[in-house]
Amino acid sequence: MRWVNRHMRRNDRMIAGAVPILALLVLYLVMAAQRHALNPGDKILPLPDAMARGLSALLFQADPLSGHFLFWTDTFASLERLGLGLALATLSALVAGLVLGVLPPVRATLGPLVTGIAVIPPIALLPVLFIALGLGETAKVALIVVGIAPPMIRDLTDYVASLPREQIIKAQTLGASSWQIMIRVALPQAMPRLIQAVRLALGPAWVFLISAEAIASDTGLGYRIFLVRRYLSMDVIIPYVAWIALLAIVMDFALAQASRRLFPWAHGASH
Amino acid sequence: MTALLTLRDVWVEFGDKIVLEKINLDVAAGSFVSIVGPSGAGKSSLLRLVLGQEAPTRGTISLDGAVLPPECGPDRGVVFQRYSVFPHLTALQNTVFGLECAQSPLLARLFGRARRAAQDEATAMLEAVGLADALHLYPAQMSGGMQQRLAIAQALLKRPRILLLDEPFGALDPGIRADMHVLIRRLWREHALTVIMVTHDIREAFSLGTRVLALDKRRHDPHAPHRYGATVVYDLPLRPREDAPPMQDGAQEEQQATPQKVAV
Ligand SMILES: Nc1ncnc2c1ncn2[C@@H]1O[C@H](COP(=O)(O)OP(=O)(O)OP(=O)(O)O)[C@@H](O)[C@H]1O
Ligand SMILES: [Mg+2]
């Protein structure tokens, strides 16, 4: 049987997907155990018990200086920045994508500007943001927005502009105005695509968040990772990275589910 | 007989490519005009002109004596071969949409009593096209024939002065197509429609139409095929509206109508 035809059953797929992850975990444990056999004080590849100890200090013991439980304040600070940045970027992508996609004169006027902004590496703008907005929360959120909004706008604009011409014509023969086409024809059809764009933007959004936190912050997941790096605290860095990965996976999964629930017509015949 | 739609010396050119040349046409109210012609002759281009999707390079088009603006409007309904319905709306929502646009400029949505009235009107129209059982299906859940029925219902609810069909049944299989012929014929009579239909199916053109137009190039330059455009080379009046026969005998009609070469 050709490989393109070898579809796997659901259970087999889960097992197959788990194998490489487990293999990697086992590989790590073997290497860590080897290093610890040679040098019990090794910090580079900590064993699970060391990670548990490192993490529990941040989880359950209040920081003597601030009185906060650092893991949770880091998490909330990062999620707040990320959420704000994603929300602002999503909203601007939706509005700009609709207006640019539906109205050719606006597209002609602002399209090149959006393209121009989108090709600037956002990290190169970080100093500008810090100078203009100070070192506070605004600059960090702004970096996320500046980083992910332009590609999202471009994606949504292209998508809306490529809706079948027949649909737009049909709407006009049904008496729809530009505004009505925007809100009743383009907007609902853009929504699943918007969610898709947010899912794809999650990765870059985390990158910009961690970068901003690494450079100027006093709390946040990225800040903590870069702080403890000085002490080679892999026992904290690895759990933090795993936690970030978990958060990202949960967000991605939630968005995918939301799209399925809210826009069944966009996901095949399964409604 | 007053003409509902008039085209006077209409030309369509794209750059130096002439697609349509010197089209003169009067379409009477209540007629069913079929347009046939080879692929690329410019049938869809002609329909787009009447629709207002594109403006002619030269010439004038008038509807009810007024020159057409180069923009689509609710006085002209359309059904394309594909993409004529909105995939994110159910059949009922697709049909109500036209009423919502007219009655609610800001939100394009109706509420309360107005909403129920609009839904009743749309439901009646969907029943008329045979979609009574499919009110709450999305287009993706409907067959091609059902989608075209929906597109027709959508257009008819706006009571257009003229209904434009571009190969509306071209993607349907023969059995469904025959059903659709019965349907469009019935709607044409009941709603006193004026229809212009582009088709590749000659039988369909003759069995449905009260008049058949053939579009083709009159002259041909083998070295520069783009130099000459297509025009109406045959204009066959078939029968007046009143004695439109029942469906199945459309084929015999062909012999009775005498093809007349149109003078240039
Ligand atoms: N926007 C355009 N720019 C350049 N040429 C065009 C454009 N639109 C149509 N044409 C040309 O006009 C000619 C007629 O096209 P049209 O779609 O009207 O043909 P048609 O008779 O509907 O063909 P078919 O039966 O295949 O649908 C074609 O040769 C096409 O290449
Ligand atoms: Mg065509």
Side-chain angles (χ1 to χ4, degrees):
Chain A
M1 198 182 205
R2 290 183 190 83
W3 277 79
V4 288
N5 295 325
R6 295 194 180 187
H7 297 288
M8 297 174 77
R9 276 193 303 262
R10 198 182 148 79
N11 282 344
D12 294 347
R13 271 209 310 275
M14 302 246 274
I15 294 170
V19 166
I21 298 173
L22 289 176
L24 216 58
L25 282 178
V26 170
L27 180 70
Y28 176 87
L29 289 177
V30 169
M31 286 172 63
Q34 265 177 0
R35 289 185 71 102
H36 281 266
L38 293 174
N39 169 18
D42 179 73
K43 298 191 76 170
I44 307 301
L45 296 184
L47 286 166
D49 63 315
M51 288 195 245
R53 260 179 281 121
L55 195 59
S56 71
L58 295 169
L59 267 171
F60 305 119
Q61 292 167 26
D63 177 50
L65 279 180
S66 60
H68 293 313
F69 295 89
L70 290 179
F71 178 83
W72 298 112
T73 47
D74 285 342
T75 301
F76 286 126
S78 288
L79 285 183
E80 193 182 349
R81 291 164 189 151
L82 191 75
L84 265 175
L86 281 172
L88 287 173
T90 305
L91 195 69
S92 54
L94 182 61
V95 173
L98 277 182
V99 175
L100 266 71
V102 174
L103 308 176
V106 181
R107 183 157 69 244
T109 313
L110 297 180
L113 178 67
V114 173
T115 309
I117 294 175
V119 299
I120 301 173
I123 296 290
L125 287 178
L126 190 53
V128 180
L129 294 175
F130 280 143
I131 293 169
L133 303 171
L135 296 178
E137 294 301 295
T138 322
K140 297 184 195 73
V141 173
L143 178 67
I144 298 176
V145 176
V146 169
I148 65 174
M152 288 173 77
I153 292 175
R154 287 181 73 187
D155 181 62
L156 216 62
T157 302
D158 288 352
Y159 181 75
V160 171
S162 68
L163 285 176
R165 186 88 198 117
E166 287 89 342
Q167 268 186 38
I168 310 295
I169 300 292
K170 179 84 187 196
Q172 294 178 58
T173 65
L174 298 176
S177 63
S178 295
W179 166 250
Q180 290 173 326
I181 289 175
M182 222 183 304
I183 61 167
R184 289 295 314 273
V185 179
L187 171 66
Q189 295 192 71
M191 287 308 290
R193 183 67 172 215
L194 182 69
I195 291 189
Q196 184 70 21
V198 174
R199 288 178 64 193
L200 289 175
L202 275 178
W206 277 102
V207 172
F208 298 126
L209 173 73
I210 306 281
S211 312
E213 287 180 345
I215 293 169
S217 189
D218 49 17
T219 176
L221 297 168
Y223 163 76
R224 192 68 51 203
I225 292 176
F226 276 78
L227 181 73
V228 302
R229 178 191 62 94
R230 294 178 206 158
Y231 318 112
L232 293 183
S233 292
M234 290 290 269
D235 54 339
V236 172
I237 294 178
I238 291 175
Y240 260 58
V241 171
W243 175 234
I244 291 173
L246 184 68
L247 288 175
I249 290 171
V250 169
M251 287 182 206
D252 185 69
F253 184 76
L255 285 169
Q257 285 300 315
S259 183
R260 248 174 238 281
R261 282 274 161 79
L262 296 172
F263 314 111
W265 50 266
H267 296 271
S270 58
H271 26 215
Chain B
M1 191 165 68
T2 52
L4 173 71
L5 178 79
T6 313
L7 283 80
R8 281 287 163 270
D9 196 22
V10 166
W11 292 65
V12 172
E13 299 168 17
F14 294 103
D16 66 347
K17 181 184 167 80
I18 300 176
V19 175
L20 293 175
E21 61 177 44
K22 220 177 184 178
I23 306 267
N24 283 295
L25 199 61
D26 291 289
V27 174
S31 53
F32 194 127
V33 181
S34 306
I35 300 180
V36 296
S39 191
K43 306 181 294 297
S44 299
S45 300
L46 181 61
L47 217 60
R48 282 200 295 273
L49 290 180
V50 178
L51 188 55
Q53 190 181 344
E54 280 162 17
T57 317
R58 263 174 285 161
T60 54
I61 304 172
S62 36
L63 183 68
D64 278 328
V67 174
L68 270 186
E71 194 170 44
C72 316
D75 50 353
R76 282 150 290 157
V78 69
V79 175
F80 297 107
Q81 185 172 0
R82 293 176 62 201
Y83 302 125
S84 283
V85 294
F86 303 114
H88 60 290
L89 299 177
T90 62
L92 186 60
Q93 290 167 339
N94 257 295
T95 316
V96 169
F97 179 70
L99 300 173
E100 290 174 319
C101 284
Q103 296 172 32
S104 169
L106 207 58
L107 294 177
R109 281 183 191 282
L110 296 173
F111 303 97
R113 190 181 303 167
R115 178 185 159 89
R116 276 192 300 279
Q119 284 184 339
D120 289 346
E121 198 181 336
T123 306
M125 184 58 79
L126 286 169
E127 279 164 5
V129 300
L131 287 182
D133 299 328
L135 297 185
H136 303 291
L137 294 187
Y138 287 97
Q141 297 166 303
M142 299 200 251
S143 68
M146 290 165 82
Q147 292 187 25
Q148 291 308 74
R149 284 168 192 268
L150 174 57
I152 292 169
Q154 226 180 357
L156 287 190
L157 203 62
K158 295 297 285 185
R159 315 244 168 260
R161 298 288 289 131
I162 194 160
L163 182 63
L164 304 168
L165 312 172
D166 194 350
E167 300 183 36
F169 316 128
L172 307 179
D173 61 65
I176 308 287
R177 203 183 293 193
D179 294 345
M180 297 298 288
H181 289 166
V182 174
L183 171 72
I184 196 73
R185 169 66 70 87
R186 199 189 77 225
L187 293 172
W188 171 64
R189 284 216 201 103
E190 287 175 3
H191 293 258
L193 297 172
T194 309
V195 179
I196 301 182
M197 178 182 73
V198 169
T199 177
H200 272 289
D201 182 342
I202 303 285
R203 255 190 77 94
E204 178 177 280
F206 278 90
S207 64
L208 290 178
T210 57
R211 178 179 177 190
V212 176
L213 299 179
L215 231 53
D216 204 353
K217 294 188 183 194
R218 193 182 293 287
R219 294 165 295 180
H220 197 80
D221 181 344
H223 303 295
H226 59 278
R227 290 307 304 154
Y228 296 113
T231 190
V232 180
V233 291
Y234 289 103
D235 185 348
L236 316 172
L238 295 183
R239 61 182 99 81
R241 186 187 181 95
E242 286 71 37
D243 56 57
M247 263 311 294
Q248 61 276 21
D249 56 4
Q252 284 106 46
E253 298 282 312
E254 291 170 42
Q255 280 95 42
Q256 295 165 17
T258 40
Q260 352 169 294
K261 195 97 173 169
V262 180
V264 186

